Amino acid sequence: MDRYRPTGEPAPAPPVPSPDEVDPAVLGALLARHGWRRRGGAAGRYARWTPPGDPSGGTSLLVPESREFPDSGDLLGEVVTALARSAAPSAREVLIGLAVPSDEVRWRREVPEPRSGAAAWTAQERLSAAARATLLAGALAARGRAGYHGARHRREAEASLEHILVGPPAPGGRELTVFVPVEHGRAVTGTLLPALHALRDAVDYRRTTGGQEAFDAAVEAGVSRELTEAVVALVEGTEGARVALEWSPGAGPPPGVAARPEPVDFSPGDLPALREAGVRYVRSEPAVPVRVTGAVVRLRRTGPGGPGTVRLRVLTGAAVAQVRVALGEDDYRIAVHAHLAGLPIRVSGRLESRGGFRRITGARDVTPVRVDEADRDRLLKSLREHLDGGADCFEEPCAGPEEEHGDGCLEP
């Protein structure tokens, strides 16, 4: 399956399902969902469908009602072939839905018609980035509720989006559909839907009463700083935006969820409340006590003696990839010797929300961790690869402030 691709990349050919695997009922549901029109046919045997924008009925598909008839397999083979050869965006979307049972998430932005190709490309990029940020917020919430996730679970959340498929963008960056496979992504869509509705309700409460407490309750539904930022990115520069979700017709909706969920709309008037909520989530998310085991991948201090700062590649103890830790002179010396010996260290402290949960404060109990020879060899190989990639473990000068999601140098 195709990974989530940037808007600027050409769309790959859609997956083509085997006609033997096509359920006529699912095919009919997908055709209707994507704008095809049913225009008669033999009642109880087959239906004739024409694509959107073809009022003459010149192009059509003959779709059997079921597989009970002898010619149903041949008809379904002809339908799949015709869809694969069609240049219509709706045909590609139907093929994706047939080949990979998926929930469909559709974003729409009400924006003026772009006056140039560059403006249209920019609008598509903004829509694609906002859509991905929305899905990432849902993936993070599926792994644990928090007002601010920061770097926690980010690797796992991003990995869960690798299987999603992207439909062709509408002209002008107005609309984008993403197909989230049920097998890999139902937890994401199942979390994202109530989170968006809870965010809509919290914004309405804020605008009506002036109170922000509804945002606190919305965290349990999956709302977070990451989701508010994604919706802000979606709405900025528009007259309004909408997110709609449709369940896979083959898999059906999750238990206890409406078969046809209502879309969620946001407007420019919601932006102040959304931004306030994002700030509130960052300020209210507490530090987390942790006991982390990690490999030292960077060391820095301002002179030959005194305290220093290390960066650890986290092995266990925290749901982040790397953390920075400020250490006293003795603990810093322990970290240096552990690094030279190819051993990880264990450290206790508090994982601070400031900076996205990438910093441990109040570090104590720094000790090397003994590992068996095989693990030690793997760790040394990994560290050598890190250094061979151009990183200098000791005393790397800072070139500028660390990016929130980047891999900048350690602060002195």
Side-chain angles (χ1 to χ4, degrees), residues 170-208:
R174 289 189 178 90
E175 193 168 298
L176 181 68
T177 302
V178 167
F179 298 81
V180 184
V182 173
E183 180 182 0
H184 300 282
R186 176 51 69 88
V188 176
T189 53
T191 302
L192 182 61
L193 179 65
L196 286 168
H197 282 285
L199 180 59
R200 176 68 267 172
D201 291 343
V203 170
D204 289 341
Y205 183 86
R206 174 70 177 94
R207 296 186 66 177
T208 302

Side-chain angles (χ1 to χ4, degrees), residues 291-295 312-318 344-347 367 369 371:
R291 184 168 175 79
V292 168
T293 300
L312 304 180
R313 178 167 59 82
V314 176
L315 303 176
T316 62
I345 64 171
R346 182 174 294 129
V347 57
T367 55
V369 177
V371 295

Side-chain angles (χ1 to χ4, degrees), residues 29 65 91 100 107 109 111-112 126 138 147 166 170 174 183 187 202 206 242 262 264 286 288 378 382 397 406 410:
E65 296 285 353
V100 187
W107 291 261
R109 303 174 81 234
V111 294
R126 293 186 65 177
V166 184
R174 289 189 178 90
E183 180 182 0
R206 174 70 177 94
R242 165 174 289 191
E262 290 292 325
V264 187
V288 182
R378 281 194 293 268
S382 174
L410 295 172

Side-chain angles (χ1 to χ4, degrees), residues 134 196 199 227-236 266 271 274:
T134 307
L196 286 168
L199 180 59
L227 184 60
T228 62
E229 286 185 325
V231 174
V232 167
L234 181 68
V235 175
E236 278 185 324
F266 295 93
L271 291 174
L274 290 167

Side-chain angles (χ1 to χ4, degrees), residues 19-300:
D20 295 336
E21 300 174 349
V22 174
D23 183 335
V26 172
L27 173 58
L30 288 170
L31 289 170
R33 173 179 295 180
H34 293 284
W36 290 65
R37 293 177 177 270
R38 182 169 176 162
R39 298 184 181 275
R45 289 183 62 87
Y46 61 83
R48 188 172 297 279
W49 293 82
T50 58
D54 186 10
S56 66
T59 302
S60 64
L61 302 176
L62 207 57
V63 179
E65 296 285 353
S66 71
R67 287 187 169 272
E68 296 179 356
F69 305 103
D71 61 346
S72 60
D74 294 336
L75 289 175
L76 289 171
E78 293 173 2
V79 168
V80 169
T81 300
L83 289 172
R85 292 175 177 174
S86 173
S90 60
R92 182 181 190 275
E93 292 177 338
V94 171
L95 278 178
I96 293 174
L98 286 174
V100 187
S102 304
D103 299 329
E104 298 180 28
V105 188
R106 192 179 305 273
W107 291 261
R108 181 170 180 82
R109 303 174 81 234
E110 299 296 336
V111 294
E113 181 71 30
R115 297 184 178 181
S116 68
W121 183 86
T122 299
Q124 290 177 4
E125 283 290 297
R126 293 186 65 177
L127 175 56
S128 179
R132 180 175 176 80
T134 307
L135 289 172
L136 181 59
L140 287 167
R143 281 155 179 76
R145 302 297 196 257
Y148 178 43
H149 296 279
R152 294 177 295 175
H153 301 292
R154 185 167 291 270
R155 283 183 299 182
E156 295 86 349
E158 290 177 339
S160 71
L161 303 183
E162 291 182 351
H163 297 280
I164 66 178
L165 299 165
V166 184
R174 289 189 178 90
E175 193 168 298
L176 181 68
T177 302
V178 167
F179 298 81
V180 184
V182 173
E183 180 182 0
H184 300 282
R186 176 51 69 88
V188 176
T189 53
T191 302
L192 182 61
L193 179 65
L196 286 168
H197 282 285
L199 180 59
R200 176 68 267 172
D201 291 343
V203 170
D204 289 341
Y205 183 86
R206 174 70 177 94
R207 296 186 66 177
T208 302
T209 68
Q212 290 187 305
E213 55 270 24
F215 287 111
D216 299 333
V219 171
E220 285 303 313
V223 178
S224 64
R225 159 68 175 268
E226 286 76 10
L227 184 60
T228 62
E229 286 185 325
V231 174
V232 167
L234 181 68
V235 175
E236 278 185 324
T238 74
E239 297 176 1
R242 165 174 289 191
V243 184
L245 190 151
E246 294 178 292
W247 305 114
S248 164
V257 178
R260 295 185 177 180
E262 290 292 325
V264 187
D265 294 286
F266 295 93
S267 70
D270 299 326
L271 291 174
L274 290 167
R275 293 190 178 104
E276 288 176 4
V279 173
R280 180 183 181 88
Y281 285 140
V282 173
R283 289 176 176 172
S284 62
E285 191 66 21
V288 182
V290 292
R291 184 168 175 79
V292 168
T293 300
V296 178
V297 295
R298 195 76 57 83
L299 300 112
R300 180 180 179 83

